Amino acid sequence: DAGITQSPRHKVTETGTPVTLRCHQTENHRYMYWYRQDPGHGLRLIHYSYGVKDTDKGEVSDGYSVSRSKTEDFLLTLESATSSQTSVYFCAISPTGDYSNQPQHFGDGTRLSIL
Amino acid sequence: TQLLEQSPQFLSIQEGENLTVYCNSSSVFSSLQWYRQEPGEGPVLLVTVVTGGEVKKLKRLTFQFGDARKDSSLHITAAQPGDTGLYLCAGVVSGTYKYIFGTGTRLKVLA
């Protein structure tokens, strides 16, 4: 399995609190992604990174920010968590290569509940 | 907004039956991937199809990419209980590194 670690694996917090999720990889892959998975919606891209300090928005980026200060770590921050952000969050990585044929390897997810 | 529609959403079949899952879009993708996800885990890549009309086989699973690269299908022959899971298709948006995922097909194969 690709070396991807998500932390924490589970978190319960209150509305209005800041939350940071961490994705750590040992594969030295250039591309990293944050998704959320909700029933009926599949996986939706929040933000992605194509290099250190290079990030871009996905389709559901409102309320989320990201940072990538080194290749191996990609952080997702909810500045002020809301109940609508209760979800399972997945990190994924891809190697540098042909843009038309990049496989993604996923972490095991973080289950976040916001009360 | 680019969408990938998967059908059916749910499928419950008996062991030994055949099935097909469809993934359709009005957008063109540079490649399309199929994943399988088990409860409590992240999706795992099954296959990537790149060329229009391409067919790939993985044991009892056959994947096809549409000629126009807008749709794909997954066919399972003689389904086994071990095939049970959530199947997801994902298209790579042309010219980018962004992936659009379908809503998934939850398959249950009964022994």
Side-chain angles (χ1 to χ4, degrees):
Chain A
D1 289 343
I4 310 169
T5 304
Q6 289 187 234
S7 58
R9 291 295 314 279
H10 303 272
K11 187 172 182 67
V12 181
T13 190
E14 295 182 347
T15 300
T17 61
V19 177
T20 296
L21 308 183
R22 181 183 183 230
C23 178
H24 178 77
Q25 61 145 328
T26 58
E27 305 295 321
N28 201 36
H29 285 349
R30 179 179 173 186
Y31 301 96
M32 299 185 76
Y33 306 80
W34 275 109
Y35 293 89
R36 59 178 291 175
Q37 186 173 32
D38 305 287
H41 289 280
L43 283 153
R44 290 181 292 174
L45 181 64
I46 305 171
H47 282 281
Y48 70 102
S49 171
Y50 47 96
V52 174
K53 297 186 179 179
D54 292 323
T55 65
D56 202 354
K57 295 179 180 180
E59 59 182 311
V60 290
S61 59
D62 287 348
Y64 301 95
S65 62
V66 290
S67 66
R68 192 169 178 199
S69 59
K70 45 187 178 178
T71 300
E72 57 265 37
D73 289 325
F74 193 31
L75 304 180
L76 177 70
T77 298
L78 291 66
E79 300 290 347
S80 179
T82 67
S83 58
S84 65
Q85 293 175 310
T86 291
S87 186
V88 181
Y89 290 85
F90 286 97
C91 174
I93 63 174
S94 286
T96 299
D98 181 356
Y99 74 85
S100 67
N101 190 13
Q102 288 206 125
Q104 289 187 103
H105 301 285
F106 284 84
D108 286 334
T110 293
R111 186 173 294 275
L112 178 64
S113 296
I114 300 165
L115 308 177
Chain B
T1 302
Q2 292 169 295
L3 295 173
L4 262 178
E5 297 182 358
Q6 262 185 262
S7 62
Q9 289 187 29
F10 301 95
L11 195 53
S12 181
I13 61 172
Q14 293 292 324
E15 182 177 4
E17 292 185 5
N18 302 331
L19 68 116
T20 302
V21 177
Y22 299 94
C23 183
N24 295 293
S25 177
S26 58
S27 302
V28 176
F29 296 102
S30 55
S31 66
L32 195 136
Q33 300 174 343
W34 286 92
Y35 293 80
R36 191 172 93 182
Q37 185 178 18
E38 305 284 349
E41 299 179 4
V44 175
L45 180 67
L46 295 174
V47 78
T48 301
V49 285
V50 180
T51 307
E54 183 176 3
V55 176
K56 280 192 174 179
K57 292 191 175 183
L58 184 65
K59 297 183 180 179
R60 295 177 291 99
L61 279 59
T62 302
F63 305 85
Q64 183 164 8
F65 202 11
D67 290 341
R69 292 188 287 135
K70 294 181 178 181
D71 54 86
S72 181
S73 63
L74 158 60
H75 182 80
I76 300 179
T77 302
Q80 304 292 314
D83 296 326
T84 293
L86 178 67
Y87 289 83
L88 297 159
C89 61
V92 178
V93 178
S94 294
T96 76
Y97 300 99
K98 292 184 180 181
Y99 295 76
I100 303 294
F101 276 80
T103 51
T105 295
R106 193 166 297 279
L107 171 66
K108 187 170 185 178
V109 182
L110 304 170

